[in-house]
Amino acid sequence: MVIINAYDAGALHELFGIDMSSIDGLGVGAGWGRVVPGGRSDAHQHDETETFVIVQGAGDLIVDARRYPVHAGVVAQFEPFETHVIENTGDEDLLFATLYWRDPERAGRQAAQVERGRLRDRPVFVFSTPPTPNGDLHLGHLSGPYLGADVFVRFQRLNGAQAWHLTGSDDYQSYVTECARREGRTPAETAAHYSAEIAETLRMMDIPLDQYTVTDADPAYRAGLQAFFSRLVASGAVAPAEAPALVGPDGRYLYEVDVSGGCPTCGGPTGGNICEECGEPNFCHDLVDPAIRHSDAVPRVAEVTRFMLPLHRFAPDVALHHHLGRVPARLRELAERLFARPGVDVAMTHPSDWGVPPLEDGAPGQVIWVWPEMSYGFLHGIAELGRRLGRDWRADAPRADWKIVHFFGYDNSFYHAILYPVLYKLAFPDWAPDIDYNVNEFLLLDGAKFSTSRRHAVWGKEILTPDTVDAVRYYLSRIRSEGRRTNFEVGAYESAVRDRLVGTWQDWLHDLGRRMAERYDGLVPDAGNWTPEHTAFLARLDTRRAAVAGALGPDGFSLNQAVAELDGLVDDVRRFASLEARVSTSPAWRDEARTAIALELAAAKLLAVCAAPVMPRFAAKLAAALGGGEIDTWPQTVTLVAPGSRVTLADRTFFTDPRPAVDAELAGWLTATVAETLQLEDGPPAADLSLVSLGAASLHAVTLQYRILEHTDVEVSVEELLGSTITELAGLIGQRTQAGMEVALA
C-alpha cells in the first residue's frame, strides 16, 4: 500500500538544535527537517547510515569538520559514526527529508577503522599539559600526559595523519613564585631554569616536541594573551565585579599555593582553587578551615574586585561541546556535578606581580589567571608551529578544520574540558572547536602520591638512559593510570623488565635468531606448505594487529591495552613455536617447517611495527635485525619478511636487566664485613638474606655505615642497610659509585 507524507510545519518539534518531524511506515527511520536562516543543527553521530535529500534552500553540510555546500536537489549520505552538522547559509528555510537505518555489518566496519575519518586530511594538534617549571619531571608526570601524547602522535603519523606534539612551560604559575622564594631566585630565573630541565627530561624519555612554548621568554606571547583577554571582555561575559575572596590578616590576597583547607564539595584536603580528589574548583573563600602557607594566622573573607566570569550561564554550551569529540564519561559527570551548583563565578584575574596584566582598567595590580591564560597558550602554540612550518595558522583566527587532542591529569579536567570551551565560545563565537580529551589519574609511588617537597619521587633523570628508556616507556604504559590510580614500585618495574622484556621477549628473539643461524644460515626462507595451524596463527597475528591499532586509535586510546596486546602477541608466538618445534628438524616436514619459521619472523616483524609508537628504539633495532629499514607505515595486514633477508637476532641486545651488576670483590668485602660486624660464627652469611634476618640492629647498621663510607666513599642510609640483602647492598653501592664518577666527569 502506497504511503504518502507531505511536509507539515505544524508537526515540527525541536530535535538536535533544529526543527524535525517523523515520517512513519516507510520501513526505515524517516523524517522532515527544517533549519531556519542562520541556524544550524547540533553536531551528532550515531550508528545508523543516514541520507539527506535537500528539497528547499541552501546551506552547508559539515562532516567531520569538512564543509560541503548543498542546495535543493542534492542527496547526501553519512556513514555510521560520522559527526555531521547541517547549517543554513541562505535567506529562506532549508528543508530536507532524512532516511536512516541500521546496517550492523556496515557500522562494524566503520567502527573498526582506526581513524574513523575524523583525523584524515586535517591538522592534528596534540597537547600535553604545559608543566609548571617549579621542578623537574618525575615518573608520575611522565607516565600521564607526556608519554600518552607522544605515543598518540607517533601512531597517527604511521597512519598518514599530519599530527604534532605541542607543550611548553607554564611560567606564570603561583607555584613558580613559591619555588623562587624557597630557592632564592627570581620567578623568571626559576621558570627558565626548570623549563630547560623539563625539556631535557622529555628528550631523554624519547619524547620529541614539535612546539615548546616558554611563555615568559616568547616575545609575542604577552601581547597575544592580552588581545585574547580583550576578546573575552568585549564579549560582555567577563567584567570587573566585586566578589568574596580569601585574604590574610594583613589584607594579602590568598589563592592557589598560598592556602589549603578542606574541599567544600568532597571534604578532602585540598589546595587553593582546585581539588585533586573530586576535580571540582574552589574559590578559596569557601574552603573548610582554610590555613595560610608559612603562617599560623587565620585568614578571613573579604570582597575583592576582579574580572569575573559567570561560568554557570554557559552550561548548555559545554554540553553541546561535549557531544562533538571524545569526552570520557568521567569529564561529562564532572560537568554535570559542577553545574548542579546554584552558581559558578570564576575569577579570571588575581592580584599578583607575576604574570601578564590585562589591558583593560577595572582591576589594577592584577594579572590574568594562569589557568584561563593556558586556553590562549594552546592557540599561540599552534600559530608558532604554523609560522615555522609556513602554514597560515593564527591564534586570533582558529579554523574549523583544526583537530585538537588534549592529554592531561584529572586534576586539570575542570580547566580543559569545562572552562576552556566557554572561553573559546566567548572569544570566537563562530568557532566550534573539535577537541578530544584523554585524561589520566594519579600514578602513586609505593602507595603514596609523588611529592617533590617530601622527596618522595623517582625523577626521570634518575632512571632514564639510552639502555633503559624503552623499558621505562613499556612499564609506564603497562601501569598507566587509566580510569583508576595505579602504583609504581621500583622492584615491580625491575621484575617486569627482567621477566617480560628480557626473559620473555628477548629470550624468544634470541632463540629465533639461533635457530635461523643453525638451520638457514641466517637467511629468511620462503614459506612452503601451509597447515591449518599455520593459517590459524596468521589470522591470530592479524587479530593482534587490529587490537593494537584499536588501542592506539583516537576513539579507544589506551596504553594499558596496547601493551597487553604486545605481550599477548609474544605469548602467542612462543606458544606457536613450542608446538611447531616437534617437527621443526624432521626432513619429512621440511617444507612445513619453513612456513613455521617464516610465520615466527612475520610475528617479529609485526612486533617491531606495533611496538614502534610505545618503544621506538626497540622497534628500530628489531626492524634492522630482520633486515628491514625505517618503520614509517602502519600495516594494514600481516606480511612475511622478504625471503633472502639477513637476520641478526641472536647477537642483538634489546633489553638489559635493570639490576646493577655486582662487583665480586666488593661483594666479598661486604660479606666479610657484615660477618665481622654481626659477629657471625657460622661462616660467611648467605648473600640473599637481609641484614635484619641475620640479626642486625640499628647500632650494627650505624657501624656498617661508617665502614662502607670509609671503604667506598658511598653513603648508605640505615633504612637501606637494614632492608637489603648483601647482594642488593653491593649493587646499590656500585650504582652510586658509578653515578658519582659520571658526575665528576661531567
Side-chain angles (χ1 to χ4, degrees):
M1 180 177 177
V2 65
I3 297 174
I4 297 177
N5 185 285
Y7 169 73
D8 178 5
L12 297 172
H13 60 277
E14 194 276 333
L15 186 65
F16 297 120
I18 58 175
D19 300 321
M20 299 287 297
S21 64
S22 62
I23 302 174
D24 299 324
L26 297 187
V28 297
W32 292 101
R34 178 181 70 185
V35 188
V36 299
R40 57 182 283 158
S41 69
D42 299 337
H44 60 286
Q45 55 279 317
H46 39 69
D47 65 321
E48 296 102 335
T49 302
E50 185 170 20
T51 299
F52 282 1
V53 180
I54 311 300
V55 298
Q56 175 184 302
D60 285 342
L61 286 177
I62 307 167
V63 184
D64 288 333
R66 299 184 189 88
R67 283 187 174 269
Y68 303 91
V70 295
H71 51 79
V74 169
V75 176
Q77 187 170 94
F78 313 113
E79 291 292 334
F81 310 117
E82 283 186 322
T83 302
H84 51 279
V85 172
I86 185 167
E87 182 177 281
N88 188 339
T89 60
D91 299 326
E92 62 176 333
D93 286 347
L94 174 60
L95 305 181
F96 64 96
T98 175
L99 304 170
Y100 50 93
W101 62 93
R102 282 192 168 89
D103 182 339
E105 184 177 344
R106 188 171 186 172
R109 286 196 309 269
Q110 188 71 6
Q113 291 181 12
V114 174
E115 300 301 332
R116 216 181 70 186
R118 294 192 291 108
L119 303 187
R120 290 194 298 266
D121 306 323
R122 302 174 61 185
V124 182
F125 306 110
V126 183
F127 289 97
S128 51
T129 300
T132 302
N134 65 335
D136 205 348
L137 298 179
H138 52 60
L139 294 189
H141 297 128
L142 292 170
S143 68
Y146 309 104
L147 179 59
D150 178 68
V151 173
F152 187 97
V153 167
R154 289 177 183 272
F155 179 73
Q156 288 303 319
R157 287 176 174 172
L158 288 175
N159 282 278
Q162 302 178 75
W164 295 272
H165 185 178
L166 304 87
T167 190
S169 61
D170 194 14
D171 290 356
Y172 297 124
Q173 283 276 4
S174 62
Y175 298 91
V176 173
T177 60
E178 169 60 21
C179 180
R181 182 203 61 79
R182 187 174 62 247
E183 298 184 355
R185 286 188 285 218
T186 67
E189 291 169 341
T190 301
H193 170 75
Y194 285 114
S195 175
E197 290 294 317
I198 288 166
E200 174 60 14
T201 299
L202 291 173
R203 185 197 66 78
M204 293 175 66
M205 187 69 172
D206 281 350
I207 299 178
L209 298 171
D210 300 294
Q211 172 63 27
Y212 187 76
T213 302
V214 181
T215 53
D216 190 49
D218 189 312
Y221 185 83
R222 177 174 293 247
L225 171 60
Q226 290 172 324
F228 176 78
F229 193 81
S230 293
R231 284 178 172 268
L232 300 179
V233 175
S235 73
V238 174
E242 194 174 65
L246 198 66
V247 300
D250 57 357
R252 182 171 68 94
Y253 183 83
L254 304 172
Y255 75 118
E256 289 190 333
V257 71
D258 303 323
V259 65
S260 61
C263 173
T265 298
C266 70
T270 182
N273 293 97
I274 199 72
C275 178
E276 293 180 344
E277 297 298 323
C278 70
E280 289 199 32
N282 63 72
F283 305 111
C284 298
H285 72 273
D286 54 355
L287 289 171
V288 179
D289 298 326
I292 304 174
R293 189 181 186 96
H294 307 306
S295 174
D296 294 329
V298 178
R300 61 185 174 85
V301 177
E303 295 291 314
V304 176
T305 298
R306 295 157 294 176
F307 279 89
M308 302 294 295
L309 168 67
L311 187 67
H312 49 279
R313 297 182 186 174
F314 301 96
D317 296 292
V318 173
L320 285 176
H321 173 74
H322 285 179
H323 280 88
L324 182 58
R326 184 197 189 200
V327 184
R330 184 100 154 102
L331 304 185
R332 288 180 268 132
E333 184 270 337
L334 173 62
E336 286 199 349
R337 182 161 25 99
L338 178 69
F339 289 128
R341 296 185 187 183
V344 184
D345 293 297
V346 180
M348 302 290 285
T349 60
H350 293 291
S352 176
D353 56 4
W354 176 238
V356 179
L359 296 176
E360 289 73 20
D361 296 329
Q366 298 190 19
V367 298
I368 300 166
W369 189 25
V370 71
W371 285 104
E373 172 198 324
M374 192 183 292
S375 64
Y376 166 75
F378 296 134
L379 304 182
H380 181 87
I382 292 173
E384 284 299 297
L385 175 65
R387 181 181 60 80
R388 289 187 288 103
L389 297 178
R391 305 287 188 94
D392 184 24
W393 297 333
R394 293 168 45 193
D396 61 353
R399 289 171 29 178
D401 67 334
W402 290 359
K403 180 66 182 183
I404 296 174
V405 182
H406 280 303
F407 282 82
F408 53 88
Y410 181 68
D411 54 326
N412 291 337
S413 298
F414 162 70
Y415 306 115
H416 281 76
I418 299 175
L419 178 61
Y420 297 169
V422 173
L423 299 184
Y424 292 144
K425 178 72 174 178
L426 297 176
F428 309 107
D430 295 329
W431 182 43
D434 185 359
I435 305 176
D436 284 356
Y437 299 99
N438 293 271
V439 62
N440 61 271
E441 304 289 338
F442 282 115
L443 177 70
L444 305 178
L445 173 61
D446 297 329
K449 287 184 180 178
F450 279 77
S451 171
T452 303
S453 61
R454 292 186 290 108
R455 304 185 69 182
H456 185 70
V458 177
W459 300 99
K461 291 188 177 72
E462 290 179 336
I463 196 171
L464 291 170
T465 70
D467 293 330
T468 65
V469 60
D470 269 339
V472 172
R473 289 172 64 104
Y474 162 86
Y475 189 67
L476 291 182
S477 296
R478 177 172 164 171
I479 66 166
R480 188 169 183 262
S481 302
E482 298 175 356
R484 76 220 186 282
R485 292 185 176 182
T486 53
N487 188 45
F488 180 90
E489 295 177 346
V490 173
Y493 158 72
E494 292 176 345
S495 295
V497 176
R498 183 166 55 251
D499 298 339
R500 290 300 303 178
L501 296 182
V502 176
T504 304
W505 291 33
Q506 183 164 273
D507 277 5
W508 162 60
L509 292 171
H510 283 176
D511 180 60
L512 177 58
R514 286 191 292 270
R515 287 183 280 126
M516 280 291 300
E518 292 169 0
R519 301 172 193 172
Y520 301 99
D521 196 28
L523 297 177
V524 176
D526 199 358
N529 291 334
W530 289 65
T531 69
E533 290 89 346
H534 293 158
T535 55
F537 180 64
L538 180 62
R540 180 66 174 164
L541 290 180
D542 198 58
T543 298
R544 290 289 185 192
R545 177 199 62 80
V548 176
L552 296 180
D555 294 343
F557 186 84
S558 168
L559 290 182
N560 293 168
Q561 188 61 38
V563 166
E565 294 295 342
L566 294 177
D567 275 331
L569 192 162
V570 175
D571 290 341
D572 288 346
V573 69
R574 283 168 58 91
R575 189 180 305 110
F576 172 78
S578 68
L579 294 173
E580 293 294 315
R582 297 178 182 276
V583 292
S584 60
T585 58
S586 169
W589 296 97
R590 183 182 298 111
D591 288 343
E592 288 76 11
R594 285 193 291 119
T595 304
I597 206 80
L599 282 169
E600 272 197 77
L601 291 167
K605 179 181 178 182
L606 182 64
L607 178 63
V609 70
C610 286
V614 179
M615 309 157 74
R617 296 194 186 209
F618 161 73
K621 285 183 182 179
L622 180 53
L626 294 170
E630 181 181 356
I631 298 172
D632 56 9
T633 305
W634 186 263
Q636 299 305 306
T637 188
V638 179
T639 58
L640 303 180
V641 178
S645 300
R646 171 68 63 182
V647 171
T648 56
L649 288 171
D651 58 354
R652 295 274 182 149
T653 299
F654 299 105
F655 306 104
T656 58
D657 193 321
R659 293 175 300 185
V662 176
D663 182 279
E665 182 178 345
L666 174 61
W669 173 85
L670 193 58
T671 300
T673 302
V674 168
E676 179 184 343
T677 303
L678 301 184
Q679 298 181 345
L680 300 177
E681 298 178 354
D682 299 329
D688 60 349
L689 294 177
S690 70
L691 269 64
V692 168
S693 69
L694 293 171
S698 296
L699 287 176
H700 296 125
V702 171
T703 301
L704 284 169
Q705 262 188 314
Y706 284 111
R707 298 194 66 176
I708 291 171
L709 180 61
E710 183 180 36
H711 186 77
T712 67
D713 201 30
V714 169
E715 292 187 7
V716 181
S717 71
V718 170
E719 292 78 10
E720 289 171 328
L721 281 163
L722 293 176
S724 301
T725 67
I726 292 174
T727 298
E728 289 169 342
L729 274 177
L732 179 63
I733 293 167
Q735 189 178 41
R736 289 182 181 172
T737 300
Q738 180 64 30
M741 293 172 59
E742 291 174 356
V743 170
L745 289 172

